Amino acid sequence: MKGGFHGLRAKQLSLSLIALVCTFVFIWAWEKTPLLTSLLPPQSRFSMPSSEILFGAPVVKEMSSNPGIYVKEESSNAVAPMRSANTSSSKKSITDNNSTPPPMEKEEISPTALGKWGAAPKPGPKGEKGPKKVEQDANRIAMMDSETNNSFVKGKGDADEPTLVKEKVCNYAKGKWVADDRRPLYSGFGCKQWLSGMWACRLTQRTDFSYESFRWQPENCEMPDFEGSKFLRRMQNKTVAFVGDSLGRQQFQSLMCMVTGGEESPDVLDVGSEYGLVKNPGAVRPDGWAYRFLNTNTTILYYWSASLCDLEPLNITDPATDYAMHLDRPAAFLRHYLHRFDVLVLNTGHHWNRGKLKANRWVMHVGGVPNTNRKLADIASAKNFTIYSVVKWLDLQLPKHPQLRAFFRAISPRHFFNGEWNSGGSCDNTTPLTGGKEVLQDNSSDPVAEGAVKGTDVKFLDITALSQLRDEGHISRYSIKATPGVQDCLHWCLPGIPDTWNEILYAQL
């Protein structure tokens, strides 16, 4: 009985020893054998969440009606992107507006309104369409803003642990104006071939031209020196198109002068007829211009479309007919010739006021019928709705035209002090940078345009804040005939600020 007990105990110890040895061998083999480790589940199942999840994806927020952010002018003025000049004192720099917007009723955006902008919108109730959908789009799109989130990159901390470090992002709109005696880039006297006399301040009675001697220096961007010959080589066999209002025409004329150096160029051919840009009987001027540099086969053109909407006569037999202004349909010129463009720059803004609509006999239409939406009847809302609509349409066309680089240019600021253009407003200052020389903000001073391009492949040409600092560069009271009249505090002297817009465009190409 005793021997049996000891024998049983020895057998248990032997089994325990064998189990221990097997366990040791198994662990050793696990660490040394790749075959066993390959049996583990995929690594991605245990990866950390993305930085968007950790730090929050970009947020689309409602825009305040605070005039310090965006001023709505209905009767005789466009929608101004900055605080009105005659209601606020000049500041030494332009910074972020941190004021808290008033609470607003939140509404969902219809899928057709924003597409891939921001977070995925929720579809409306089944069967929802027509005016109700348009009203929801108008309520939301017309009052949108956007905010950017910081970019992060992996780095190393003191203990070789992964950390998150802020990445310096190139923002051409953030920087400062610096004196440069190499400016201007062309002569205001010499560029008569392309420059309208009303914008050539060298031909007027103005005597101070210090505004010409500054260049824009972005904070974290390399700005290449603009050379006309280099630009033409880069744009060889390409077409650059500007479509917009008279400020777009100024940018077009500026680029023509910059490319030629303000000199006469006999090797440039007028090809406006290829794009239907001819002067119609009774018209003051054609709807645009197109010129081709024969040495490089580079075409630069401009088409006048102040609202970017498709305009359609309601009665083609009546010379005094009203025009349907289709807020949800881009200009026919864009639809017809987009396939021929390699670079496209769009802009709109200063024709969105009651006076302009009435003078041009434009009647707002949505969905092919006269607009009945009260929210869209508001000029600012209609403008915002159109900008989002045009940008969305253009973004959907880009995959069909892989050669095309499309830009939407932010609004150019006005500088009327002590009144408006028709009520004694003026811009008599001739001293550069009296309101500061630096832009410190990250976001645009044109939040509507910034929000429209966000999430699309349409690039943003942000010139609002940097131009806001240059009130001395407007036409002001000067003219060729030297006759008293209304001051022009909207358009710019050339050479001048629009040259900088083209330098930034050149850098972004």
Side-chain angles (χ1 to χ4, degrees):
M1 188 72 182
K2 185 177 179 181
F5 173 79
H6 286 292
L8 179 61
R9 186 174 182 181
K11 193 176 292 185
Q12 290 176 340
L13 290 173
S14 299
L15 290 173
S16 299
L17 182 60
I18 292 171
L20 183 62
V21 170
C22 290
T23 301
F24 175 81
V25 171
F26 179 80
I27 293 174
W28 177 84
W30 182 275
E31 295 178 346
K32 298 296 183 181
T33 308
L35 178 62
L36 292 174
T37 58
S38 66
L39 298 177
L40 281 170
Q43 177 75 16
S44 61
R45 296 185 185 180
F46 303 96
S47 59
M48 290 293 290
S50 67
S51 60
E52 284 192 353
I53 297 175
L54 287 171
F55 299 101
V59 178
V60 177
K61 66 180 182 179
E62 292 159 322
M63 194 187 77
S64 169
S65 58
N66 183 343
I69 300 177
Y70 214 80
V71 180
K72 181 174 66 178
E73 300 170 304
E74 294 187 5
S75 59
S76 60
N77 308 310
V79 180
M82 307 291 295
R83 188 180 299 273
S84 176
N86 60 339
T87 58
S88 65
S89 58
S90 298
K91 297 184 178 180
K92 294 302 178 184
S93 62
I94 297 180
T95 57
D96 284 318
N97 191 307
N98 296 319
S99 59
T100 303
M104 298 180 65
E105 181 181 355
K106 295 184 178 180
E107 278 191 53
E108 298 294 340
I109 312 167
S110 74
T112 56
L114 289 185
K116 61 181 181 179
W117 302 321
K122 298 178 182 179
K126 186 175 180 181
E128 179 184 65
K129 58 183 179 180
K132 186 175 181 181
K133 183 186 76 61
V134 172
E135 182 174 0
Q136 289 185 335
D137 295 347
N139 294 346
R140 190 70 170 93
I141 295 177
M143 298 302 294
M144 288 192 68
D145 191 0
S146 62
E147 62 182 31
T148 56
N149 59 335
N150 293 326
S151 298
F152 293 86
V153 293
K154 266 188 146 182
K156 285 190 174 183
D158 296 334
D160 288 336
E161 291 296 329
T163 59
L164 293 176
V165 181
K166 268 191 177 181
E167 182 184 42
K168 288 186 177 180
V169 178
C170 173
N171 180 356
Y172 288 100
K174 184 178 181 180
K176 61 184 177 180
W177 289 100
V178 296
D180 189 340
D181 57 10
R182 298 173 299 170
R183 304 304 168 106
L185 299 175
Y186 56 90
S187 168
F189 288 114
C191 197
K192 297 177 182 178
Q193 187 175 2
W194 318 115
L195 186 56
S196 296
M198 59 184 174
W199 295 332
C201 289
R202 286 277 182 176
L203 303 180
T204 70
Q205 70 274 29
R206 181 166 182 163
T207 58
D208 183 278
F209 303 99
S210 56
Y211 64 88
E212 295 181 345
S213 302
F214 290 86
R215 64 177 172 84
W216 179 249
Q217 181 175 296
E219 186 177 273
N220 294 317
C221 310
E222 290 293 331
M223 279 277 281
D225 291 334
F226 186 95
E227 294 183 23
S229 58
K230 284 185 178 180
F231 179 87
L232 290 176
R233 287 196 297 271
R234 288 183 65 181
M235 295 294 109
Q236 186 166 3
N237 300 318
K238 291 179 170 57
T239 296
V240 180
F242 295 90
V243 177
D245 58 21
S246 56
L247 277 303
R249 182 183 170 196
Q250 282 209 300
Q251 190 174 0
F252 158 73
Q253 291 191 3
S254 163
L255 184 61
M256 291 297 295
C257 290
M258 291 169 68
V259 169
T260 60
E263 303 294 334
E264 293 285 335
S265 300
D267 65 330
V268 181
L269 182 66
D270 185 340
V271 293
S273 59
E274 292 185 17
Y275 299 90
L277 302 177
V278 295
K279 183 178 177 181
N280 296 319
V284 178
R285 63 178 71 92
D287 288 335
W289 296 264
Y291 299 102
R292 182 166 297 143
F293 292 80
L294 300 179
N295 290 340
T296 58
N297 192 35
T298 302
T299 302
I300 303 177
L301 67 85
Y302 162 77
Y303 177 75
W304 184 85
S305 179
S307 66
L308 299 180
C309 298
D310 189 22
L311 299 175
E312 186 179 32
L314 296 178
N315 183 357
I316 59 176
T317 64
D318 181 8
T321 185
D322 290 340
Y323 288 81
M325 180 187 187
H326 296 283
L327 304 182
D328 53 354
R329 188 190 304 173
F333 182 84
L334 286 173
R335 304 198 308 272
H336 293 163
Y337 297 106
L338 189 68
H339 66 284
R340 299 186 61 176
F341 302 157
D342 298 279
V343 178
L344 173 63
V345 182
L346 300 177
N347 90 282
T348 187
H350 292 292
H351 274 251
W352 289 90
N353 60 73
R354 295 289 178 192
K356 293 289 186 181
L357 265 64
K358 184 176 181 180
N360 291 315
R361 303 191 301 276
W362 293 345
V363 180
M364 291 190 289
H365 280 55
V366 178
V369 298
N371 174 56
T372 57
N373 186 307
R374 293 179 125 187
K375 295 290 180 65
L376 279 183
D378 174 77
I379 295 294
S381 298
K383 168 185 166 290
N384 298 351
F385 179 85
T386 298
I387 290 176
Y388 271 86
S389 176
V390 170
V391 170
K392 181 189 175 184
W393 172 83
L394 182 57
D395 186 48
L396 293 175
Q397 305 308 308
L398 291 179
K400 307 173 189 176
H401 310 289
Q403 86 288 352
L404 177 60
R405 297 290 300 278
F407 295 82
F408 194 96
R409 202 204 74 215
I411 195 169
S412 173
R414 306 154 66 254
H415 290 92
F416 287 97
F417 292 86
N418 303 315
E420 292 300 332
W421 69 273
N422 58 352
S423 60
S426 62
C427 47
D428 294 322
N429 175 45
T430 58
T431 303
L433 306 174
T434 55
K437 64 179 182 179
E438 190 171 11
V439 175
L440 302 175
Q441 66 193 42
D442 291 314
N443 292 348
S444 174
S445 291
D446 186 349
V448 173
E450 182 183 39
V453 301
K454 189 172 184 178
T456 75
D457 289 325
V458 178
K459 307 299 180 184
F460 190 36
L461 185 56
D462 188 8
I463 54 85
T464 304
L466 64 91
S467 303
Q468 181 71 19
L469 296 171
R470 302 303 307 276
D471 63 290
E472 85 287 355
H474 286 294
I475 305 294
S476 186
R477 64 178 182 273
Y478 305 105
S479 64
I480 295 176
K481 296 180 181 180
T483 55
V486 176
Q487 290 202 18
D488 187 349
C489 304
L490 172 63
H491 298 98
W492 304 91
C493 289
L494 292 175
I497 310 307
D499 302 337
T500 297
W501 305 349
N502 284 322
E503 288 184 277
I504 297 176
L505 172 65
Y506 177 66
Q508 289 188 250
L509 287 174

